Structure formats: C-alpha cells, structure tokens
Amino acid sequence: MELRTPQEIKIMAEGGRRLGAVLQRLRSEVRPGVTTLSLDRVARKIITEGGDTPAFLNYRPEGARRAYPYTLCASVNDVVVHGQPSNYVLRDGDIVKLDLGLKHEGFYLDAAITAAVGKVPAEDKKLMAVTEESLYAGIKEAKPGNTLGDIGYAIERVVRKHKFSIAEGLTGHGIGRALHEDPTVFNFGDRGTGVKLVSGMVIAIEPMVTVGAGAIVQLKDESYGTMDRSHAAHFEHTVAITDAGPLILTRV
Ligand code: MG
C-alpha cells in the first residue's frame, strides 16, 4: 500500500471533515416517514455542491453485476451493508445504516453510521452502542508499531463481550487514491499478527455487527443481509496512522 505524506493527510482530513458533515446532516433527516431515496438525494446534492465527487456512484465492486447507481448505501434492520436507496419509507423502530464515501482533491474518504428511526428496541440500541464502541476500540490500536491483528482483536473483544457476532466476510480496507486499497482490515484477529502499522497508512475501519449469528447472504439488489434476519449495525471511520497516534479523518 502507498503511504500518505503529512500534506496528503491534511487534504484527506478536509475531505473527511466534509464527509462527516454530510453524515451529520443525514442523521438529522432520519425520522419515520422519510424514504431512503430522499436521503440519497440530499447526500448527492451536498457532496457535488461542495465540489467533490460521490465515491460510490458508478462504482463497480469486484464481482458486482453492474455499477452502483446511488451516492449513499442505506441498509435497514437485517440488511448489513450495500443497501440501495429506494422508496422504502423509514418506520418508527427501524435502524438504518448510512454508508457514504466521497472523493476530495483526488483522495477518497469513507465513513458510516447507524441511526435510530424514532424509538428503537433496547436490544438494537445496545447493538448500535456496542458496534460504535468496538470501532473506537479498534481505532485506539491504529498506531505505529501495532499490527492489523491488534485492531481486529480489539474490535472482536468488545463484540464478543456483549455476545453479538461479527458479520462474516465483510472487512475494512486501505483507502487513498482508490476507494478500496490494500490492506484488508479484518474485524477480528490475534494480537501482534498481520501487517505492521506504520506512519502514513490510511485505513477504513468498519465493524459490522449482528445480534444473532454472523452468517450473511447476498440479497437481490446485491446488498448483504444476515442469514437469520437478525439486525445489524455498522460504524466506520477513515483513520490515518501518524506518529502522534490514530487520526480520525471523518469525525461526524
Ligand atoms: Mg468502507
């Protein structure tokens, strides 16, 4: 993977600040009665008006049948990731994962939050809190001298403590001049194993956590849902590894 210079990380931090602001705006729009397609329109408008490019729009992931036609991924309840915005009307009690990326001055940023629609059950609230906690536990380990295994271990430890599961086969990734770069950032691992972290690496850390089992299935619109239909949460930040420690570029 390529390492970023401090100047490049500065540019990415500005892109991340913008992305975080869009996600914050989307979170404020989430309420019963709103369609996920309307959230997509808001995201697209703000990103393009800022002079940036939506990262997911027209992106064709490896193995996908066609390019992705939306700016936002909006995944509701048991859908884990890659849910396509639609005329689905958000209902009181839903949880919706908002995953968003943009390209700013040649660099990609990627982040996700899970938002509650109205009043959600206690179990889903806990799922969201634990997933976010696991993200920050992982980020804490993102410093020079540690390894990817340290990040995965920290995430997994939080998830297991609460008897939830890590969605299988879904991972974080390096990010920079491309949306998805090496290395693969697993949400589990063993301390001290895997790729050594050095200053200048930029990675997207993104735990995807389920209430039930971790098995997932690909759905008709190419999104991924849990096999047992249990609910899932997802939080993601783009993080730079610096001599001063982890630098969250996409703070919401
Ligand atoms: Mg990502």
Side-chain angles (χ1 to χ4, degrees), residues 12-34:
M12 292 189 79
E14 172 57 21
R17 190 192 63 76
R18 293 172 179 219
L19 179 57
V22 184
L23 277 173
Q24 198 152 35
R25 167 72 186 278
L26 293 184
R27 170 144 54 196
S28 75
E29 302 263 338
V30 167
R31 66 179 70 89
V34 162

Side-chain angles (χ1 to χ4, degrees), residues 56 81-82 99-100 109-112 171-175 179-180 203-206 208 234 236-238:
F56 302 166
V81 281
H82 302 174
D99 190 356
L100 190 63
L109 287 305
D110 193 358
T171 66
H173 49 93
I175 182 167
L179 178 60
H180 295 113
I203 54 176
I205 304 176
E206 49 178 321
M208 290 151 273
H234 178 204
E236 173 180 20
H237 274 307
T238 298

Side-chain angles (χ1 to χ4, degrees), residues 36-53:
T36 52
L37 197 56
S38 73
L39 299 174
D40 181 75
R41 289 203 195 96
V42 170
R44 184 169 178 172
K45 184 165 186 286
I46 304 176
I47 291 172
T48 52
E49 279 179 2
D52 297 323
T53 311

